[in-house]
């Protein structure tokens, strides 16, 4: 028995310190993983809420001003009359030309597209989608490239007569949210 | 010294462990707070859009619900409180409060609420609305003609309004003309001694009032009748066939006919909106068979959001087979209106505008009651203004 031996730890000491260390490690690891999980949940929730707001603010602003909704929306939603999944309406903000706006879902991306109609050869004069020329021909449709307005959209539903109801379904990382609202086109 | 060294390691280990634990507790607390914020933010967004839908419903009702519409427009101190439970989805509810601060001017307050467990998310949206009540370009004139107004052997009553011509007003052959306000003629009022004229005032050499224009078929004008009619544009023959197929025809919105409209005997027409013709409109076309078979009856009713009345790019003729004619709206002809026979009292609530008016009816009279709103909505395009304007939005928590 010399001094060196005295400096070492006993088996019990090592076991106790190991147990405490492992316990501590688990507590720390668990709190880390929990924080990580909550962080992703929070992130997903905030992101889908933000996307929902952006989509609805843009859509409602334009829908409120439209003079005419082209899409045939069912008055009520039931077994025989499913809600519309996209909406096309006339642009009410630009009164100098007749333009139409289409909102639709492409995968999980919510898209906005502009379109107009004309008769050959006068592309500068836009006409109504239901217009016919002197020979009874339908007008030619021109569509712009669609732009993504929002992401993480699972589904969208439109229904109602003039008071248009909108149901927006969003989800990301297992978090989901449904936003329901209604908008009244003041010029309809 | 050895003892002291051991103590230092223990101290250091304890300190680092405590720091790590504290740090993890802090991070956990931090993320938990974030979670609460994002959860409440998500529900709050739903509550906000629920309240938005309440505002949409309120404005919709102000335009389309007749009792809300008339109270909003006529009662300066009108208030209403409406609670809607399970609005849009279960657990969602909103209350609509409208307080008028004047005629057709008020503040809408909508509170959207969502119950989730035992907590509630709430959003309040306030918005001011008003309706611009336009004025008729003809002021209080209910019967207007750019040329002569010629009344023979007939009775004409103009209630709450005036009668005006840019040329002569001729009243003869035992006619009776009663006007609540003024009778104005651009040149002269020629009243024969056998006739009666009652009016609050009369004016000759009156200043010329230009005839208000109506946009019929200008496709570049978004508010022309032809554009407003949309898919309800018919040729003369198509419209005649429609009447022939249904002797009790009801039309809604704006109906546009490219050609003449001839309403034959035995035909009943109910027009909820406007009937417009590129050419002449003849109601109760002369035909001796109507004595036995029945006459032509026409009713015109107002329709929210649509002009109402009868509009012709040329002439409107009321002929011998007319049965009854009651209209809430504007009767407008770019050329002449000729009323030949009125077997039942003809009631028009709104106004009559034409190049000339000839009234020759020995049977019953014509009553025209001024309604500026019907005149304005009939002239429509020239006086277009949004009916309800949102002045201010506010979001409260």
């Amino acid at each position: 028995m010399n001094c060196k031996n005295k400096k070492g730890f006993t088996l019990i000491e090592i076991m106790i310190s190991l147990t405490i260390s492992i316990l501590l490690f688990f507590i720390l690891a668990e709190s880390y993983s929990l924080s990580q999980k909550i962080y992703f949940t929070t992130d997903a929730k905030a992101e889908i809420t933000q996307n929902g707001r952006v989509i609805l603010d843009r859509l409602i602003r334009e829908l409120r001003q439209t003079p005419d909704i082209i899409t045939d929306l069912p008055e009520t939603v039931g077994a025989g009359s499913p809600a519309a999944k996209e909406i096309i309406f006339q642009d009410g903000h630009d009164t100098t030309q007749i333009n139409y706006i289409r909102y639709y879902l492409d995968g999980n991306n919510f898209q906005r597209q502009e379109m107009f109609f004309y008769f050959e050869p006068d592309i500068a004069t836009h006409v109504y989608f239901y217009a016919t020329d002197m020979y009874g021909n339908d007008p030619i449709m021109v569509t712009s490239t669609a732009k993504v307005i929002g992401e993480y959209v699972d589904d969208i539903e439109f229904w109602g007569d003039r008071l248009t109801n909108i149901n927006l379904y969003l989800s990301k990382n297992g978090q989901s949210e449904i936003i329901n609202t209604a908008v009244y086109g003041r010029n309809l | 010294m050895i003892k002291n060294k051991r103590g230092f390691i223990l101290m250091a280990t304890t300190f680092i462990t405590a720091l790590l634990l504290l740090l993890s507790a802090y991070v956990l607390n931090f993320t938990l707070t974030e979670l609460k914020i994002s959860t409440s933010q998500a529900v709050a967004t739903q509550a906000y859009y629920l309240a938005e839908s309440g505002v949409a419903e309120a404005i919709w009702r102000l335009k389309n619900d007749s009792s809300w519409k008339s109270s909003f427009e006529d009662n300066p101190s009108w208030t209403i409180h409406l609670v809607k439970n399970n609005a849009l989805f279960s657990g969602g509810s909103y209350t609509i409060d409208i307080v008028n601060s004047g005629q057709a001017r008020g503040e809408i307050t909508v509170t959207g609420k969502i119950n989730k467990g035992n907590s509630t998310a709430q959003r309040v949206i306030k918005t001011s609305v008003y309706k611009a009540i336009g004025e008729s370009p003809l002021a209080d004139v209910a019967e207007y003609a750019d040329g002569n107004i010629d009344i023979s052997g007939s009775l004409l009553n103009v209630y709450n309004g005036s009668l005006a011509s840019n040329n002569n007003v001729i009243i003869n052959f035992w006619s009776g003309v009663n006007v609540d306000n003024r009778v104005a003629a651009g040149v002269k009022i020629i009243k024969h001694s056998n006739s009666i004229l009652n009016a609050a005032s009369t004016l000759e050499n009156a200043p010329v009032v230009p005839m208000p224009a109506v946009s019929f078929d200008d496709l570049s004008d978004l508010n022309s009748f032809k554009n407003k009619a949309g898919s309800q544009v018919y040729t003369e023959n198509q419209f005649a066939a429609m009447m022939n197929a249904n002797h009790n025809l009801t039309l809604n919105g704006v109906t546009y006919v490219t050609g003449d409209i001839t309403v034959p005997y035995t035909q009943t027409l109910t027009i909820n909106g406007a009937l417009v013709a590129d050419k002449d409109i003849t109601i109760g076309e002369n035909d001796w068979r109507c004595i036995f078979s029945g006459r032509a009856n026409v009713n015109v009713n107002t329709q929210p959001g649509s002009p109402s009345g009868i509009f012709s790019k040329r002439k409107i003729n009321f002929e011998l087979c007319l049965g009854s004619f009651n209209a809430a709206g504007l009767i407008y002809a770019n050329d002449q209106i000729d009323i030949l026979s009125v077997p039942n009292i003809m009631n028009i609530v709104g106004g009559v505008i034409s190049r000339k008016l000839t009234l020759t009816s020995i049977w019953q009279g014509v009553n025209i009651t001024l309604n500026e709103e019907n005149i304005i909505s009939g002239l429509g395009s020239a006086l277009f203004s949004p009916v309800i304007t949102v002045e201010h939005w506010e979001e409260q928590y």
Side-chain angles (χ1 to χ4, degrees):
Chain A
M1 287 280 169
N2 54 26
C3 263
K4 268 183 187 168
N5 283 349
K6 267 189 185 171
K7 272 186 186 172
F9 301 107
T10 64
L11 185 65
I12 293 177
E13 277 176 332
I14 290 172
M15 278 181 71
I16 289 173
S17 65
L18 264 177
T19 314
I20 292 172
S21 306
I22 290 167
L23 208 71
L24 263 173
F25 174 77
F26 273 110
I27 290 173
L28 286 175
E30 191 56 35
S31 76
Y32 173 76
S33 94
L34 196 64
S35 301
Q36 184 88 340
K37 227 192 275 168
I38 294 171
Y39 173 77
F40 282 126
T41 308
T42 308
D43 185 62
K45 260 188 196 295
E47 191 145 21
I48 55 176
T49 305
Q50 183 58 21
N51 272 284
R53 277 205 91 135
V54 168
I55 290 168
L56 286 175
D57 282 355
R58 183 95 187 249
L59 176 62
I60 286 173
R61 181 178 171 271
E62 292 188 324
L63 199 50
R64 192 184 283 133
Q65 193 66 19
T66 184
D68 194 13
I69 297 175
I70 314 308
T71 310
D72 203 7
L73 304 178
E75 268 186 50
T76 51
V77 178
S81 58
K85 300 288 184 189
E86 64 164 63
I87 193 163
I88 303 173
F89 54 88
Q90 195 186 326
D91 185 355
H93 284 102
D94 182 8
T95 50
T96 58
Q97 277 284 32
I98 303 160
N99 291 311
Y100 294 95
I101 300 166
R102 176 182 177 218
Y103 281 100
Y104 66 103
L105 201 54
D106 181 20
N108 289 105
N109 289 340
F110 193 65
Q111 309 249 38
R112 179 184 183 276
Q113 191 176 36
E114 289 174 8
M115 49 192 7
F116 67 88
F117 298 83
Y118 76 99
F119 288 116
E120 284 286 16
D122 187 9
I123 197 166
T125 306
H126 300 182
V127 297
Y128 289 99
F129 76 101
Y130 52 75
T132 49
D133 67 5
M134 63 186 95
Y135 310 110
N137 297 319
D138 291 332
I140 299 158
M141 182 170 82
V142 179
T143 53
S144 71
T145 47
K147 283 183 181 152
V148 178
I149 301 297
E151 298 171 298
Y152 312 115
V153 182
D154 288 338
D155 199 6
I156 186 149
E157 294 173 339
F158 300 96
W159 53 276
D161 177 25
R162 290 200 278 179
L163 193 63
T164 309
N165 290 271
I166 305 168
N167 300 334
L168 182 64
Y169 301 81
L170 303 126
S171 76
K172 190 195 172 189
N173 289 347
Q175 293 300 310
S176 62
E177 191 178 346
I178 307 167
I179 306 177
N180 313 66
T181 192
V183 55
Y184 174 55
R186 61 181 101 169
N187 299 322
L188 291 176
Chain B
M1 291 311 265
I2 290 167
K3 266 185 190 171
N4 281 351
K5 267 187 185 166
R6 275 184 160 190
F8 172 74
I9 290 169
L10 186 70
M11 285 274 285
T13 322
T14 317
F15 181 70
I16 290 168
T17 314
L19 202 72
L20 275 173
L21 272 173
L22 209 72
L23 212 67
S24 75
Y26 174 69
V27 171
L28 199 62
N29 181 39
F30 193 67
T31 48
L32 271 172
T33 312
E34 283 293 310
L35 179 67
K36 276 184 197 161
I37 291 171
S38 73
T39 307
S40 82
Q41 192 61 32
V43 185
T45 304
Q46 290 172 322
Y48 171 74
Y49 283 109
L50 184 65
E52 274 260 23
S53 75
V55 174
E57 188 192 333
I59 294 175
W60 179 82
R61 279 178 184 268
L62 289 180
K63 277 180 105 170
N64 297 289
D65 183 319
S66 56
S67 96
W68 282 47
K69 186 173 183 280
S70 60
S71 302
F72 174 67
E73 287 168 14
D74 303 330
N75 183 355
S77 55
W78 176 64
T79 60
I80 197 159
H81 177 74
L82 179 84
V83 182
K84 206 158 180 184
N85 289 316
N86 291 329
L88 299 184
F89 49 90
S90 73
S93 66
Y94 57 73
T95 55
I96 300 173
D97 283 281
I98 302 179
V99 178
N100 260 20
S101 58
Q103 243 174 302
R105 183 175 285 275
E107 189 169 73
I108 303 175
T109 308
V110 178
T111 309
K113 273 187 192 171
I114 294 177
N115 290 316
K116 282 248 163 103
N118 45 12
S119 63
T120 306
Q122 174 178 312
R123 278 292 181 281
V124 182
I125 295 177
K126 282 185 183 178
T127 172
S128 299
V129 286
Y130 78 91
K131 182 172 178 181
I133 302 173
E135 279 183 17
S136 163
L138 298 171
D140 69 336
V141 175
E143 162 48 49
Y144 169 95
D146 192 35
N148 287 351
I149 294 178
D150 198 334
I151 298 156
S152 307
S154 309
L155 176 66
L156 172 67
N157 296 312
V158 177
Y159 297 112
N160 304 330
S162 296
L163 177 146
S165 158
N166 280 339
N167 205 19
N168 295 320
V169 176
I170 305 159
I171 304 165
N172 59 13
F173 279 106
W174 295 273
S175 292
V177 174
N178 301 304
V179 179
D180 277 358
N181 295 352
R182 189 175 76 166
V183 172
V187 184
K188 275 179 87 78
I189 299 171
I190 305 162
K191 185 186 79 69
H192 288 252
S193 57
N194 50 37
S195 298
I196 301 161
L197 169 63
N198 292 312
S201 64
T202 58
L203 179 71
E204 292 186 327
N205 300 316
V208 170
V209 180
M211 182 162 161
V214 161
S215 180
F216 279 89
D217 53 359
D218 182 359
L219 285 177
S220 65
D221 179 358
L222 298 180
N223 289 301
S224 70
F225 278 122
K226 203 167 185 178
N227 277 334
K228 277 186 180 165
S231 58
Q232 299 190 109
V233 177
Y234 305 103
T235 63
E236 184 178 323
N237 290 338
Q238 281 173 334
F239 191 73
M242 272 169 69
M243 287 195 288
N244 197 26
N246 185 353
H247 286 283
N248 206 341
L249 187 64
T250 301
L251 305 167
N252 293 312
V254 177
T255 307
Y256 194 98
V257 177
T258 54
D260 292 326
I261 297 175
T262 305
V263 184
Y265 67 96
T266 71
Q267 179 70 45
T268 297
L269 262 188
T270 305
I271 304 159
N272 299 318
L275 179 63
V276 190
D278 254 352
K279 293 183 179 169
D280 295 344
I281 298 178
T282 304
I283 299 172
E285 193 189 18
N286 294 338
D287 191 318
W288 61 271
R289 284 172 290 182
C290 67
I291 302 167
F292 311 105
S293 308
R295 295 166 179 277
N297 301 307
V298 175
N299 288 302
V300 182
N301 303 310
T302 55
Q303 176 97 323
S306 161
S308 67
I310 292 185
F311 301 82
S312 161
K313 215 172 170 183
R314 294 189 185 170
K315 290 179 183 175
I316 299 179
N317 302 310
F318 293 90
E319 294 192 346
L320 291 171
C321 286
L322 175 71
S324 68
F325 182 83
N326 292 298
L330 178 63
I331 313 303
Y332 184 101
N334 256 344
D335 196 358
Q336 185 174 348
I337 294 181
D338 193 347
I339 305 174
L340 197 59
S341 163
V342 185
N344 298 299
I345 293 173
M346 186 187 275
N347 286 304
I348 298 164
V349 178
V352 179
I353 298 173
S354 60
R355 189 70 57 195
K356 279 167 79 181
L357 174 78
T358 310
L359 173 58
T360 324
S361 165
I362 50 167
W363 293 21
Q364 291 284 354
V366 174
N367 294 335
I368 304 172
T369 307
L370 177 73
N371 184 314
E372 279 195 60
E373 203 181 323
N374 289 353
I375 296 178
I376 292 166
S377 76
L379 294 172
S381 54
L383 287 148
F384 177 77
S385 68
V387 181
I388 287 183
T389 307
V390 175
E391 287 183 318
H392 178 64
W393 293 84
E394 190 178 297
E395 196 182 338
Q396 280 181 1
Y397 301 96

